[in-house]
Amino acid sequence: MSNYRILNTRARRVDAVDKITGRAMYTDDFQRPNMLYAALLHSPLAHARILNIDTSRAEALPGVKAVVTWREAGTVPYGVSPARYDETIFCYDKVRYVGDEIAAVAASDLDTALEAINLIKVNFEELPLVLDGLTAMNDGQPRLHDQYKNNMCAEVHWHFGDIEQGRRESHIIRTDKLTSKMQDGAFMEPQSVLAEVDAQGDLIMYSSTQAPHYVQRTLAMALQMPLHKVRVIKPAVGGGFGPKASCSTAELATCLLAMKTGRPVKITFDREQVFLHSRARHQFFHTMTTGIKKDGTLSFLDHHCILDGGAYASFGIATIYYAGSLLGGPYRLKNMKYDGYRVVTNKPACGAQRGHGAVIARALFEVQLDRLAEELGLDPIELRLKNVMEAGETTCNELFVSSFGMREALEAVRDSAAWQTKRERAGKTHRNGKGIGAACGFFVSGAGYSIYRSRTYHCTVITKVDEVGGGVLVQSGAADIGQGSDTVLAMITAEELGITLDDVRVVSGDSKLSVDLGAYSSRTTLMTGHACREAAQDVKRQILSAIAALLSVPPETLDLKDGFLVSLAGPLDISELRREYLREHLGFTDLPEGPQLTFAEAGRIAFLELGAIVGTGKYKPPPLGGSFKGAAVGTSPAFGCSAQVAEVTVDLETGRVTVDKITGAHDCGFAINRTQVEGQMQGSMMMGMGEALMEQIQYDTKGRIVNANLAEYKIPTALDMPHLEAIIVESHEPHGPYGAKEVGEGAIMPVIPSILNAIYDATGVRIDELPITPERVVAALRTGGK
Amino acid sequence: MILPRFDVLTPATVTEACALLAAHTAAGVRILAGGTDLLVELRRPIIPQHVPRCDGCPTHPEGAVFSTIDCTMWNSEPLMAAGGSVRAAVKPPAFLLSLHKLRDLRGLQKRTDGSLRVGACTTITDIERSRDIREGWTALAEGADNLGSPLVRNRGTVGGNIANARPAADTAVPTIALRATLVLRSTSGIRTIAAADFPTGPGKTIINPGEILTYIEYPAPAKYSGSAYHKLANRKALEISTVGVAVYLALETPGGPVADVSVALGAVGPKPLAAASVGPVLLGRIPDETAINDAARAAMEDARPIDDHRGSAWYRLQMVEVLTRRLLKTALARAEGKK
Ligand SMILES: Cc1cc2nc3c(=O)[nH]c(=O)nc-3n(C[C@H](O)[C@H](O)[C@H](O)COP(=O)(O)OP(=O)(O)OC[C@H]3O[C@@H](n4cnc5c(N)ncnc54)[C@H](O)[C@@H]3O)c2cc1C
């Protein structure tokens, strides 16, 4: 039981009422006088040289205010990782995927803008396509970018420990493969951007982004503006999951059009454009060879992976590193080799998506553990328990886990799902279509380093007490994209200042307010949480010192609790301060009474003494990780871990898989808000289930997406959702605020493998290609599943 | 979803509707029922259709120049599935003729001979909720149960589903199995046609410009009969079936030989198909395990599936056998009063 009043409760989200009543303002809800509508010209071809772009007919269309191409936009390269800037605002020499942006139009209404797009004439010379990630790097393949020889965008070669030694120690060695398909983030709100230039010449952009700070930098760089003249504001956002974490052409082009026309310009993606833009999960081709000793301890992992990243680098450099590094945990693994290859192909660029880089790798590794357990005759959970790391250990790739509830999580799901009984029951009727499977996961709690090289603080928070007393305003650049970070900041502030959630207002997601690297890598609760706590404590210190001076008591004897200033050392005489406060409020009713100063009085009087009471907080992780190349990716001040058990029913004739139940346990260190932690876990289960069973972007032979909509790109519906049980494990992370660490992404890790393992239990066949469609199940059943 | 511009005609009677339809045929008119197919079809493409190779048409005398616009001559490339982002803009009709005021066309009428007349504008939800249909024409009710989502079912109509003529249409397949007759009306009168003969290919039917589908007439079920429909898909709602099968089975007496059987297949051919091979295998036989297995295998002979993004021809063919077998058993149980 905690001693907190607000933390660790199920406090209602601060944005709940706005969102359910429709009052919350998303980017597309904003209108401006004289606003123009933008449209983009997307390439219809997957790979072609641009011979000529003729915009004259579009420009002549009445209502069109501006048409821009690379000629207006310039060709400053940008991207996500500075080492791989390979995009320009518009294509100028080549188009590299169906959807690549060639031009943009601003017009007085959307119809006109779209019509103008149709009037832009582009002459192309078609080039041969590279659509297959597996062969993209072969000699003789057409090349997408001059800078990527053999279409190789990035390679990683790691060897930790000694896998040859590991091999020698192994009793059983297995090699297995798993392939996935490109996916879509399938967030609710399609990207939307509204840009305007104010009278001072500042560029202000509202965008449904996850990372205002990085977007601000990219806008300034690619549009060649001073950074302080660019402001990025994130209104309410309907989900991101990664694809909204990088700056896009839609953002850049809309700004350019606003700068060119001097008028506000808006664009909102159609759902199809969400698919075209993508920047979602890569396609992975994993091969793993894993060895295990007779007693069930893991001896080595030799991991080979090809990532098909689509046309541009985007987040791909981080992706390829994460795909390797996050297998360092949650099991003791001394010897690990990783060879990763990220190739470019003529498909929409892939980027980060929930569980960045690590999801499919995790799936295969956990499937391998089950296979090894079976060969050894061990229970799969037993095998895992034998190998799990404990707090205080460091992985072979130098990731230090300061708190680790892995064992507890695994035991929790085992017991809660009645694993033993169900396995035994399944044992008798094995392979009758009912199955149960388990898996674990491991994830960072905030990237240890910013994307660009810098000593920057990862976030700052500025908290101010209303001069009138009573209310508190928290200002942060953090991006609440639906995950609930504003609520976390409000709860921390209310807790520290001894006030109610309703006394706190949070304004966030604005690059002018404070720096914050954004909503990615499951970082906000830990990092911005630290900064928020520090700012609140700063405020508290100022209030207490002002009052202590007036009352001539040591500040250490005062505290803020339950809405009052309280004394820890006997009663205080507050009558003079009370009198002053009452004198200021003649005519007011409902004035404070009783022996204690209220928070409102204390705040007001502190202001009268000191001026504005403003507290600040900041956070950046300590230096982390090893010194090998790429050691920075995968580092984190803390690591989350999780375990899940999935129960499935497989129709052995049609191959249709029904997930009956998922029991999950996640170690989030400390649950700031229990309902939100469970919400992230349930959301992860739903998303992981979709990725396991349904989700795949499908292309035709010309690189065009054939299912660029939510009717044909399947995610689970409410009816498909099984019973979900979410168990919170709290290991009290020493590096997290109040012991808190991540839950946003880690909880997705075990979903796919637990389902894969359950399907094997139900059918006796292994599926090595995701998603596990009914057809793939039937094919595996008919061929005996190798 | 952005729609092109059009005007909407709203006739108050079927006669007026036929007249308006005839009067606007030249200008371009489409019938609008629930709009859940039509409006999706009419939405603007995000990427203008690319003209891949235009060798010396009048607009592009320069030959091998590639252009995103202008070439109206070119039309040879197979179009993308409706989900594709690059697709030809459907030439928007100048008019949509809305049926929403035609009250006569919405609702069910059970007739004295035991048959059922369903207005073309009856919503899928109405069908789903009808007791009569669930009891007498169960396959149709099960088709309605599985169509889209509640939102789509509230707007979509059975007439629209049939007239749209998609091979997977969830009420069209049972309608064929239940041997319904379609009633078409135009200024020149009324004609009727068997549901199985109505579609001619994907999105194509024998309907003439100026004709409206007004009613669907389902014959009375035989005394010892039952029907069933199953849609195979990868999630529980909002799905277009990978394979859909509907079965109608009648017995001479409970426990007796098969008096009548009719099977229709969805999503395994260019249109919903009547599986004609099943009848000869099953008629007159006691529907035991062997007979049903034979019949299910026979159904495979009628399927003409293709590979597409929803499934391979191979898988579809296997599933025709599985579903037909299972549905024959369900229909049999129902025919024997076992539900
Ligand atoms: C999200 C979504 C999910 C869907 N899921 C399914 C599904 O699971 N299964 C399925 O089968 N369908 C599905 N559909 C398709 C559609 O909802 C159904 O086919 C529906 O029954 C169509 O009816 P409607 O009244 O909306 O037709 P409309 O869109 O109004 O019309 C469809 C076509 O039929 C013509 N038409 C309509 N009524 C008549 C008439 N009386 N006489 C002559 N021509 C007529 C129209 O001109 C048009 O060409 C789905 C659609 C959507 C948008």
Side-chain angles (χ1 to χ4, degrees), chain A residues 124 653-654 712 715 775, chain B residues 66 235 310 312 315 318 325:
Chain A
F124 295 108
E653 283 189 315
T654 64
E712 297 283 341
I715 59 175
E775 175 160 355
Chain B
F66 306 95
R235 63 178 174 185
R310 297 195 191 106
S312 72
Y315 177 68
Q318 310 306 308
R325 169 158 44 76

Side-chain angles (χ1 to χ4, degrees), chain A residues 340-362:
Chain A
Y341 304 85
R342 184 192 191 267
V343 296
V344 286
T345 58
N346 293 116
K347 291 181 282 192
C350 303
Q353 187 166 313
R354 197 181 209 168
H356 193 178
V359 172
I360 311 299
R362 171 60 51 198

Side-chain angles (χ1 to χ4, degrees), chain A residues 116-363:
Chain A
I117 285 296
N118 276 302
L119 295 175
I120 298 172
K121 182 173 166 174
V122 184
N123 292 337
F124 295 108
E125 177 193 334
E126 271 187 82
L127 298 171
L129 306 183
V130 184
L131 292 178
D132 175 25
L134 270 185
T135 52
M137 68 179 96
N138 292 359
D139 287 335
Q141 284 285 328
R143 196 195 274 202
L144 269 76
H145 296 262
D146 291 341
Q147 69 203 87
Y148 301 143
K149 188 166 177 288
N150 286 83
N151 296 316
M152 191 60 69
C153 174
E155 278 181 57
V156 177
H157 301 285
W158 278 340
H159 191 167
F160 306 106
D162 179 356
I163 65 158
E164 288 316 317
Q165 176 65 24
R167 252 179 226 283
R168 283 190 293 274
E169 290 169 9
S170 298
H171 174 58
I172 299 171
I173 296 176
R174 283 195 61 104
T175 300
D176 295 290
K177 287 176 190 283
L178 186 67
T179 307
S180 66
K181 296 289 190 293
M182 284 183 187
Q183 286 163 358
D184 184 75
F187 34 79
M188 256 198 269
E189 181 207 16
Q191 285 93 336
S192 182
V193 184
L194 168 61
E196 59 192 353
V197 178
D198 72 8
Q200 287 76 41
D202 288 5
L203 174 65
I204 303 170
M205 184 185 74
Y206 299 81
S207 174
S208 59
T209 179
Q210 296 178 236
H213 173 71
Y214 289 126
V215 172
Q216 175 197 24
R217 283 178 54 95
T218 309
L219 291 182
M221 182 182 81
L223 297 168
Q224 295 165 282
M225 299 262 298
L227 264 163
H228 71 280
K229 304 271 289 173
V230 178
R231 179 174 178 188
V232 175
I233 301 173
K234 176 218 68 73
V237 167
F241 306 116
K244 290 180 181 169
S246 51
C247 189
S248 69
T249 287
E251 290 171 317
L252 288 156
T254 309
C255 288
L256 190 65
L257 289 166
M259 289 158 71
K260 210 166 171 239
T261 58
R263 291 167 63 168
V265 182
K266 184 159 85 178
I267 189 167
T268 298
F269 271 1
D270 189 280
R271 181 59 65 178
E272 292 184 35
Q273 289 173 296
V274 175
F275 282 88
L276 293 179
H277 178 66
S278 181
R279 320 288 144 148
R281 191 156 342 270
H282 285 62
Q283 180 176 23
F284 295 87
F285 301 89
H286 288 285
T287 307
M288 292 184 192
T289 303
T290 300
I292 197 161
K293 297 182 192 168
K294 220 179 188 121
D295 67 355
T297 41
L298 285 167
S299 46
F300 79 98
L301 165 65
D302 186 357
H303 175 197
H304 179 277
C305 180
I306 295 173
L307 293 79
D308 182 348
Y312 297 101
S314 184
F315 266 98
I317 310 305
T319 318
I320 185 176
Y321 281 115
Y322 274 130
S325 67
L326 289 179
L327 289 178
Y331 309 107
R332 290 185 190 117
L333 181 60
K334 283 209 216 85
N335 310 303
M336 179 167 84
K337 186 167 175 286
Y338 173 53
D339 295 289
Y341 304 85
R342 184 192 191 267
V343 296
V344 286
T345 58
N346 293 116
K347 291 181 282 192
C350 303
Q353 187 166 313
R354 197 181 209 168
H356 193 178
V359 172
I360 311 299
R362 171 60 51 198

Side-chain angles (χ1 to χ4, degrees), chain A residues 186 683 685-695 713-722, chain B residues 234-238:
Chain A
M685 292 173 190
M686 176 262 167
M687 199 162 169
M689 193 184 120
E691 297 192 22
L693 300 179
M694 304 171 189
E695 298 187 39
Y713 181 88
K714 319 268 188 230
I715 59 175
T717 68
L719 294 181
D720 295 293
M721 288 317 296
Chain B
N234 199 8
R235 63 178 174 185
K236 288 187 181 151
L238 282 170

Side-chain angles (χ1 to χ4, degrees), chain A residues 711, chain B residues 30-41 99 120-121 124 146-149 152 155-161 163-164 168-171 207 211-214 231 238-240:
Chain B
R30 298 281 301 271
I31 294 171
L32 173 71
T36 59
D37 273 317
L38 185 62
L39 299 186
V40 178
E41 181 190 330
L99 305 181
C121 294
I124 306 298
N146 287 291
L147 192 146
S149 63
V152 175
R155 285 211 64 81
T157 63
V158 62
N161 193 235
N164 202 54
D170 282 312
T171 64
I207 207 162
E211 269 182 326
I212 300 176
L213 169 61
T214 49
K231 165 183 189 165
L238 282 170
E239 271 281 26
I240 303 300

Side-chain angles (χ1 to χ4, degrees), chain B residues 8 20 26 38 73 75 88 92 119 146 156 162 168 170 178 191 196 210 213-214 225 237 260 262 295 312:
Chain B
V8 180
L20 279 175
L38 185 62
M73 305 288 290
N75 66 355
N146 287 291
I162 293 170
D170 282 312
L178 293 168
R191 63 171 174 143
L213 169 61
T214 49
S225 71
D260 190 7
S262 161
S312 72

